[in-house]
Amino acid sequence: MFKHVLTLIRGRAHAADEAFGERHALPILAQQIRDGARGVEAARKAVAVAIARNHLEKENAERLSARIADLETRAVAALEKGREDLAREAATSIACLETELQNARQVQAEFSSGIERLKHAVRQSEMRLGALRRGERLAIARDRTQRLTRDVPDHESATLADAEATLARLEKRQREAELMSDALTDLQGDQDPTAIVEKLAQAGCGRPLVTTGEEVLQRLRSKTSQTH
């Protein structure tokens, strides 16, 4: 019996936890995305630090190479002058520097390969973060739409439908009135003598009602010819 009670309590606790998660899914998602964004930013900084250290190792290797080259030149000069003791000291220093250079190049190689892996991981994380943010915006829009639909009472939905029907009837009457007004205007124009005269003049029947510039020019030319 006690075992069944414990199982029941655990089952109800699980159900309550799931119900809580469903009710507060959006704020939970927002916080998870913020946490993920901080993780991505930390990863970016880690890559930047690795790149900086890689540059330092590269510069260190270049300095070691320059020192080795300088010592080799000086050791050769010492041998040419018969100073084998100095050449031996230089050779010992060169051996130490070459070991240090080898270690520096190994560290640099490890940094280079590690940096590429880190960059790839950061790019993947940034893509996933971008997808999550787009999904969050879409989820918020859907939630608001669902809330709006769910929260509108039935009588308000009916009122909106009535208003839409009234608007449709009003627009139909207004359109009918516009068409009627246009038809009356056309009919009046057909019965107006002035309009008929204008139509006949435009068709070339009788004297034009409007004097053209060419006609004025011909009139002026005729006056000029009369004066001469």
Side-chain angles (χ1 to χ4, degrees):
M1 181 67 180
F2 182 71
K3 184 177 180 180
H4 292 307
V5 171
L6 288 178
T7 302
L8 178 61
I9 293 173
R10 290 171 56 197
R12 288 182 175 177
H14 178 72
D17 184 63
E18 285 190 343
F20 179 84
E22 291 177 358
R23 286 196 305 271
H24 303 283
L26 282 177
I28 290 173
L29 174 62
Q31 184 58 45
Q32 289 171 337
I33 290 175
R34 285 192 292 269
D35 294 340
R38 283 194 292 269
V40 171
E41 184 62 27
R44 287 198 197 101
K45 291 180 179 178
V47 172
V49 170
I51 292 173
R53 291 181 178 174
N54 188 42
H55 281 302
L56 289 176
E57 291 297 332
K58 183 178 179 180
E59 292 174 357
N60 184 39
E62 291 174 352
R63 282 194 300 269
L64 290 171
S65 296
R67 290 178 63 186
I68 290 171
D70 180 61
L71 278 173
E72 286 180 348
T73 301
R74 295 178 186 277
V76 170
L79 288 172
E80 290 175 350
K81 291 183 177 183
R83 294 297 304 273
E84 187 173 344
D85 56 331
L86 293 177
R88 189 179 298 279
E89 290 181 13
T92 302
S93 297
I94 290 171
C96 293
L97 290 174
E98 285 180 345
T99 301
E100 189 175 350
L101 176 61
Q102 183 179 0
N103 292 334
R105 285 175 175 171
Q106 183 177 357
V107 171
Q108 185 184 355
E110 291 176 357
F111 266 121
S112 298
S113 61
I115 286 169
E116 289 304 317
R117 289 194 299 271
L118 285 172
K119 283 183 177 179
H120 179 73
V122 169
R123 284 194 294 267
Q124 293 295 322
S125 297
E126 288 174 342
M127 291 175 60
R128 293 172 64 187
L129 181 62
L132 281 169
R133 283 173 170 166
R134 290 190 295 272
E136 180 190 19
R137 290 192 293 269
L138 181 59
I140 290 173
R142 286 175 175 170
D143 182 71
R144 289 176 178 173
T145 302
Q146 291 171 358
R147 286 178 182 271
L148 179 63
T149 304
R150 184 176 64 250
D151 295 341
V152 173
D154 293 338
H155 69 276
E156 291 186 8
S157 298
T159 301
L160 291 175
D162 293 340
E164 289 169 350
T166 301
L167 177 61
R169 290 194 299 271
L170 178 60
E171 289 176 344
K172 182 180 179 180
R173 286 200 300 269
Q174 289 174 342
R175 181 58 180 162
E176 288 176 353
E178 290 176 358
L179 293 173
M180 185 181 296
S181 176
D182 293 340
L184 289 174
T185 301
D186 292 339
L187 290 173
Q188 290 174 357
D190 292 340
Q191 297 173 0
D192 186 2
T194 303
I196 296 174
V197 171
E198 289 179 357
K199 288 183 179 180
L200 290 170
Q202 291 175 358
C205 302
R207 182 178 59 81
L209 298 179
V210 180
T211 303
T212 64
E214 186 64 29
E215 292 174 344
V216 175
L217 182 60
Q218 292 295 335
R219 187 173 70 246
L220 294 175
R221 284 175 178 169
S222 64
K223 288 184 179 181
T224 302
S225 63
Q226 291 175 2
T227 56
H228 291 286

